[in-house]
């Protein structure tokens, strides 16, 4: 995209230590060079991180997923990419190594602007650690065509106890320069029964504070309205279709 002009390119493909998926003490560790296709077909991802498994089906097309890596997507930091939203939603930790050694960066602090991350000069993203998924989740996305960059996306997680929402997490993507956590929507869900009215109230709360930009693909007003609709749909799906 001509955003950088490096004097040297280093191929990481043969570094086996940067690939692979494993579970360690309730955390799924994914090597940065693990392809999106490998993650999509992994029984560990399917069982332990269903949200990630679902979201991967929206990432580009098979030929792209066969080459694109998890670490590459995160380090690129595209606001319209699915994996950054998933990592923030699930409370992932990004592991980076550089001249000063290894450090850990919470996903919520890793994405700091369009195509801009917290990686320092000389650092390489090596792994991502994701806590085993809590509650039930759903992922929704609207794009011009399946596989195109998202116009709006939403990830919703719920923990329902005795018919009421004990815990909620709501994330939006492609509506700002980084993943957006919808705190007002989460507050609208906490302690409430799971029904269509609650989902609608939370969807309205999620879209209210947004100020998306307009481009040739969609207006900001369209993105704001769609965000509320996707949050409502994701809430009802995460709750198992209860209406």
């Amino acid at each position: 995209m001509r955003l950088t002009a490096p004097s040297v390119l280093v191929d990481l493909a043969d570094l086996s230590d940067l690939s692979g998926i494993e579970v360690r003490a309730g955390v799924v560790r994914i090597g940065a060079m693990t392809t999106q296709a490998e993650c999509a077909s992994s029984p560990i991802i399917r069982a332990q991180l269903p949200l990630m498994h679902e979201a991967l089906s929206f990432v580009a097309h098979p030929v792209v997923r066969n080459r694109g890596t998890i670490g590459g997507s995160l380090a690129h930091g595209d606001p319209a990419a699915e994996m950054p939203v998933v990592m923030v939603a699930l409370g992932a930790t990004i592991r980076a190594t550089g001249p000063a050694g290894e450090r850990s960066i919470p996903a919520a602090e890793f994405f700091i602007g369009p195509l801009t991350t917290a990686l320092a000069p000389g650092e390489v993203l090596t792994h991502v650690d994701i806590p085993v998924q809590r509650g039930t989740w759903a992922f929704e996305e609207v794009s011009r065509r399946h596989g195109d960059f998202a116009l709006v996306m939403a990830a919703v997680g719920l923990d329902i106890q005795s018919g009421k929402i004990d815990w909620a997490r709501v994330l939006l993507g492609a509506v700002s320069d980084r993943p957006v956590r919808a705190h007002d929507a989460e507050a609208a869900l906490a302690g409430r029964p799971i029904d269509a009215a609650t989902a609608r109230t939370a969807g309205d709360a999620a879209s209210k504070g947004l100020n998306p930009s307009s481009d040739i693909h969609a207006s900001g007003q369209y993105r704001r309205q769609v965000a509320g609709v996707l949050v409502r749909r994701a809430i009802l799906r995460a709750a198992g279709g209860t209406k």
Side-chain angles (χ1 to χ4, degrees), residues 23-40:
V23 182
R24 297 181 177 183
V27 173
V28 179
R29 167 162 284 198
I30 305 174
M33 289 298 295
T34 309
T35 66
Q36 295 154 347
E38 289 172 323
C39 288

Side-chain angles (χ1 to χ4, degrees), residues 74-75 77 83-96 103-120 123 125 128 169 171 177-181 183:
L74 299 179
M83 290 302 99
V85 171
V86 169
M87 297 306 159
V88 176
L90 295 180
T93 300
I94 310 297
R95 309 291 181 184
R103 67 185 181 115
S104 302
I105 311 165
E109 301 172 11
F110 185 75
F111 307 100
I112 58 179
L115 307 181
T116 306
T117 71
L119 284 175
E123 282 190 324
L125 194 161
V128 56
R169 180 68 62 87
L171 264 294
D177 61 358
R178 71 199 79 179
V180 174
R181 185 171 171 185
H183 293 282

Side-chain angles (χ1 to χ4, degrees), residues 36 51-52 54-60 65 73-74 78-89 111 139-143 145-155 173-174 179:
Q36 295 154 347
L51 173 69
M52 182 176 178
E54 181 180 7
L56 281 164
S57 67
F58 291 89
V59 176
R65 295 194 292 270
S73 177
L74 299 179
D78 194 314
E82 290 82 5
M83 290 302 99
V85 171
V86 169
M87 297 306 159
V88 176
F111 307 100
F139 185 88
E140 294 281 344
E141 177 176 308
V142 167
S143 59
R145 296 172 301 177
H146 186 82
D148 283 1
F149 284 109
L151 299 178
V152 185
M153 68 186 97

Side-chain angles (χ1 to χ4, degrees), residues 1-232:
M1 297 177 69
R2 298 183 181 179
L3 296 174
T4 60
S7 59
V8 175
L9 292 176
V10 179
D11 187 354
L12 304 178
D14 291 334
L15 297 181
S16 59
D17 288 349
L18 297 185
S19 296
I21 304 168
E22 59 181 335
V23 182
R24 297 181 177 183
V27 173
V28 179
R29 167 162 284 198
I30 305 174
M33 289 298 295
T34 309
T35 66
Q36 295 154 347
E38 289 172 323
C39 288
S41 63
S42 166
I44 293 176
I45 300 297
R46 181 187 291 270
Q48 306 295 342
L49 304 172
L51 173 69
M52 182 176 178
H53 177 78
E54 181 180 7
L56 281 164
S57 67
F58 291 89
V59 176
H61 306 282
V63 67
V64 175
R65 295 194 292 270
N66 285 337
R67 294 286 292 171
T69 64
I70 293 300
S73 177
L74 299 179
H76 187 51
D78 194 314
E82 290 82 5
M83 290 302 99
V85 171
V86 169
M87 297 306 159
V88 176
L90 295 180
T93 300
I94 310 297
R95 309 291 181 184
T97 300
E102 184 180 74
R103 67 185 181 115
S104 302
I105 311 165
E109 301 172 11
F110 185 75
F111 307 100
I112 58 179
L115 307 181
T116 306
T117 71
L119 284 175
E123 282 190 324
V124 174
L125 194 161
T126 57
H127 300 85
V128 56
D129 290 337
I130 313 169
V132 169
Q133 187 171 306
R134 172 188 177 185
T136 58
W137 287 77
F139 185 88
E140 294 281 344
E141 177 176 308
V142 167
S143 59
R144 289 169 64 92
R145 296 172 301 177
H146 186 82
D148 283 1
F149 284 109
L151 299 178
V152 185
M153 68 186 97
V156 171
L158 302 174
D159 185 8
I160 300 173
Q161 302 292 334
S162 302
K164 293 187 177 182
I165 301 169
D166 183 61
W167 170 91
R169 180 68 62 87
V170 180
L171 264 294
L172 293 165
V175 294
S176 182
D177 61 358
R178 71 199 79 179
V180 174
R181 185 171 171 185
H183 293 282
D184 289 345
E186 294 173 2
L189 292 169
R192 301 291 298 171
I194 185 64
D195 54 28
T198 297
R200 185 175 297 108
T201 298
D204 291 343
S207 62
K208 185 177 180 180
L210 296 177
N211 187 28
S213 60
S214 299
D215 55 31
I216 61 173
H217 303 297
S219 68
Q221 180 180 0
Y222 173 83
R223 285 189 165 95
R224 187 183 306 109
Q225 181 175 350
V226 170
V229 172
L230 295 190
V231 167
R232 184 172 75 244

